[in-house]
Amino acid sequence: MWCNRYAVGYNVAMNKEIIIIGGGASGLMLASLLPKQSALVIEANGKTGAKIAVSGGGKCNITNAKMDSSFYRGESSFIQKSLKAFDQNALLAWIKARGVSPVLKKENQYFCPNSAKELLQILEQESKKQTFLLGEKVISVDKRGLYFSVKTDKRVLTSRAVAVASGGVSYPILGATSVGYEIAAFFGHTVVKTAPALVGLTVQKEQFFFKELSGASVDVQIKAAGRLCQGSLLFTHKGISGPAVLDASLYWDKGNIAIDFLPAFSWDHVRSSKKQLTSILPLPKRVAKAFLIQLGIEDKIGSKISAEELKRLKTLNCYSFAPAGTFGYSKAEVTKGGVCTNEVEADTMMSLKSEGLYFVGEVLDVTGRLGGYNFQWAFSSAFVCAASLKHRKKIENNFQIELN
Ligand SMILES: Cc1cc2nc3c(=O)[nH]c(=O)nc-3n(C[C@H](O)[C@H](O)[C@H](O)COP(=O)(O)OP(=O)(O)OC[C@H]3O[C@@H](n4cnc5c(N)ncnc54)[C@H](O)[C@@H]3O)c2cc1C
């Protein structure tokens, strides 16, 4: 479907500076920042920004007050350059200037005040100066001479530059495809092995008792690959989920994680207490009971437990086990891994393998923790790409970033 009255004809993209593959967070921001009628956005879905619309429980966690590359998995100096060019304050100011004031929640996280649609509407409004092809899927990209040819399921389009903003492969129900990785590989890029991230973890049979605790939630600290993730853990019928687990899934690839189920608890008075263990331990009763059974300890009053039993109880501060896997791409908020950033210019987002080919957003090997980091990355990398395009020879004179 053509979505712009200027868009007519087969080879309309010949007179566009750039074809943007994907009308998600990064593609829409890139289209917003580029001059009028300079870009053609091709989006497989019938509408743009599907992930934005459902993000953050419908309110979109846009960004985070604490922002630097340490909140990301990926090459730190590469990430930092984009964050510096367009940080959380610049993003918030850009949104506020368009009439929406994000609200701070959970200490550091900025959300839309009422609905994720508020951010989506801004991006749609700002980008409507470009041409959109909706409901059209990009199949492949090739290059002949100076021109890229972008093959879709309906036609072949050409342009001097292509920005791959097609995201990762998680949540295929919202339109995710692996086309970005395929394009990268075609142009000789290394694609770092991908895996679901910000996702729940499944358990092996030793931890099957977790499944019976489905619905219970506890505050924990999780150590995964040397990183500490804290927050709540939710037991589910598949394993474990909740913010702390989602965060840990970013760092966990295989092997053990260690969960402190009692991070703020002092053991000092347990052996002098007249209360039952299930009342002493600050855990939901059924969780405490299940752990006591696993540890082979009876639910008795604190003063009756032996030193050896206390020692066994204390293992709840460092409950170590190897998850079986993850809940998979269908449930993962993001995809870790992706186009290797060593082969992309940090100042421009341009491929070092093919001039005029750009990568922005989640398709790159940059993945943020829970808390608004992934949208910030999508927007920051799109900003850097837009800024760099104005330096391209052909468009030097008439290309300006439209920030105000
Ligand atoms: C349920 C959910 C909740 C989330 N909540 C948050 C949150 O609150 N805060 C946060 O920071 N992050 C959140 N995320 C992550 C965030 O949505 C992504 O990291 C971000 O959208 C990535 O932006 P992107 O532009 O790289 O990719 P996307 O936003 O995924 O956009 C890629 C676009 O490309 C299109 N596309 C794919 N293949 C093709 C093709 N072959 N042809 C044409 N078009 C194609 C897709 O349809 C899509 O519209 C959430 C993710 C999910 C799934």
Side-chain angles (χ1 to χ4, degrees), residues 21-27 42-45 51 54-56 60-61 136-138 165-167 171 174-177 179 332-334 360-363 372-375 378:
I21 302 174
S26 60
I42 308 176
E43 168 54 54
N45 286 330
K51 280 189 187 167
V54 301
S55 64
C60 183
N61 184 187
E136 188 153 338
K137 205 171 186 173
V138 172
S166 54
Y171 257 74
L174 296 179
T177 74
V179 77
E333 286 199 7
V334 289
V360 291
E362 201 182 306
V363 73
Y373 294 104
N374 288 296
F375 279 134

Side-chain angles (χ1 to χ4, degrees), residues 142-148 159-162 187 189 343 345 348-359 389 391-394:
D142 201 351
K143 195 178 185 188
R144 285 183 204 128
L146 289 175
Y147 285 92
F148 289 93
S159 90
R160 289 283 292 264
V162 166
F187 283 95
H189 279 268
E343 297 159 359
E345 237 176 34
T348 64
M349 295 293 137
M350 192 168 83
S351 159
L352 291 168
K353 305 270 180 187
S354 179
E355 203 188 334
L357 179 64
Y358 295 81
F359 295 95
L389 279 162
H391 297 302
R392 278 174 63 83
K393 202 169 169 233
K394 184 170 178 290

Side-chain angles (χ1 to χ4, degrees), residues 55 117 126 138 140 159 175 221 251 290 295 299 334 348 377 391:
S55 64
K117 293 202 174 112
E126 290 299 316
V138 172
S140 61
S159 90
Q221 284 186 349
Y251 302 110
L295 295 169
D299 184 14
V334 289
T348 64
W377 171 251
H391 297 302

Side-chain angles (χ1 to χ4, degrees), residues 20-29 41-64 72 109-111 116 133 135-140 150-153 164-180 182-183 197-198 329-335 360-364 366-379 381-382:
I20 301 173
I21 302 174
S26 60
L28 285 176
M29 180 56 98
V41 183
I42 308 176
E43 168 54 54
N45 286 330
K47 51 186 179 186
T48 52
K51 280 189 187 167
I52 300 174
V54 301
S55 64
K59 294 218 165 175
C60 183
N61 184 187
I62 304 162
T63 187
N64 201 294
Y72 291 84
Q109 303 176 17
Y110 283 98
F111 286 81
L133 278 179
E136 188 153 338
K137 205 171 186 173
V138 172
I139 311 287
S140 61
V150 177
K151 188 177 175 203
T152 75
D153 53 359
V164 180
S166 54
V169 285
S170 28
Y171 257 74
I173 198 170
L174 296 179
T177 74
S178 56
V179 77
E182 287 151 24
I183 295 166
L198 305 192
Y329 285 119
S330 65
K331 301 269 184 247
E333 286 199 7
V334 289
T335 304
V360 291
E362 201 182 306
V363 73
L364 284 158
V366 174
T367 316
R369 291 180 73 152
L370 208 65
Y373 294 104
N374 288 296
F375 279 134
Q376 180 69 50
W377 171 251
F379 298 141
S381 56

Side-chain angles (χ1 to χ4, degrees), residues 5-60:
R5 65 197 169 94
Y6 301 109
V8 283
Y10 165 82
N11 223 357
V12 67
M14 275 298 278
N15 53 16
K16 305 285 175 215
E17 300 298 343
I18 187 161
I19 291 178
I20 301 173
I21 302 174
S26 60
L28 285 176
M29 180 56 98
L30 181 56
S32 300
L33 297 177
L34 294 176
K36 194 172 174 182
Q37 282 303 309
S38 59
L40 171 73
V41 183
I42 308 176
E43 168 54 54
N45 286 330
K47 51 186 179 186
T48 52
K51 280 189 187 167
I52 300 174
V54 301
S55 64
K59 294 218 165 175
C60 183

Side-chain angles (χ1 to χ4, degrees), residues 287-305:
V287 175
K289 263 188 196 156
F291 277 122
L292 289 178
I293 292 168
Q294 292 301 313
L295 295 169
I297 299 170
E298 253 178 65
D299 184 14
K300 50 192 160 190
I301 59 172
S303 59
K304 293 232 164 118
I305 66 165

